[in-house]
Amino acid sequence: IVTMCLGRIVEELPSAGTHQRTRHPYTAALLSATPSIIHDVEPIALTGPVPSAVHPPSGCPFHPRCWQARPDCSASVPKLTPVEGTPGHTFACFHPINGIDDVPESALAAVVESVDAPQVEAPPVEQVPTPPASPEEVSWANEARLTNPDQDTL
């Protein structure tokens, strides 16, 4: 699995055990947003402005929204570092995490608050009737059915 952020590879890892072994916070955030019946994961709330892909931030591309960010994250781009004992697993982070369970409660709190916020009911959607088919459309559909009798739908 390769995780990219604003066109840069931030982590590459084997798919087996991904949730337990991710080292980059962005990979953890992406995995937390993926529904799963296997892993019980709370979504990670990302705060701050979404960086521009046209004018990406200096340093790590994820640092403006990362809960692990420190001043060195904006000063330079971290190099891909191999994970000892896990062939094919590299990450680019100055302050890596140890799996998705290493995410602090503060990164999860904003999600809980937004879920508990009062829900606003959406206005009803107006049903627009479908106009009847023109004689040309009916003729074309009948012709298609005659030339493809085994086909139920067009």
Side-chain angles (χ1 to χ4, degrees):
I1 295 174
V2 174
T3 303
M4 294 182 75
C5 183
L6 295 176
R8 293 195 177 161
I9 295 175
V10 294
E11 187 163 18
E12 182 176 359
L13 68 161
S15 61
T18 301
H19 279 75
Q20 293 80 23
R21 296 190 320 206
T22 184
R23 303 284 290 166
H24 199 281
Y26 186 57
T27 304
L30 291 174
L31 291 172
S32 78
T34 306
S36 174
I37 59 171
I38 298 170
H39 305 285
D40 186 24
V41 179
E42 291 185 56
I44 296 171
L46 299 179
T47 59
V50 176
S52 167
V54 177
H55 303 288
S58 62
C60 175
F62 187 57
H63 87 267
R65 306 188 80 197
C66 182
W67 63 92
Q68 295 283 95
R70 311 284 188 283
D72 56 340
C73 298
S74 62
S76 63
V77 177
K79 304 256 186 262
L80 280 171
T81 306
V83 174
E84 191 175 314
T86 310
H89 188 177
T90 58
F91 66 94
C93 185
F94 293 125
H95 307 284
I97 59 172
N98 291 309
I100 202 164
D101 295 329
D102 193 28
V103 177
E105 288 293 321
S106 60
L108 303 172
V111 172
V112 173
E113 290 170 11
S114 66
V115 170
D116 292 340
Q119 300 297 315
V120 177
E121 190 172 322
V125 177
E126 180 182 340
Q127 297 294 323
V128 179
T130 305
S134 69
E136 294 81 21
E137 291 171 320
V138 172
S139 173
W140 175 84
N142 287 335
E143 183 179 319
R145 283 191 193 98
L146 292 174
T147 57
N148 299 311
D150 295 333
Q151 191 173 3
D152 290 337
T153 59
L154 300 177

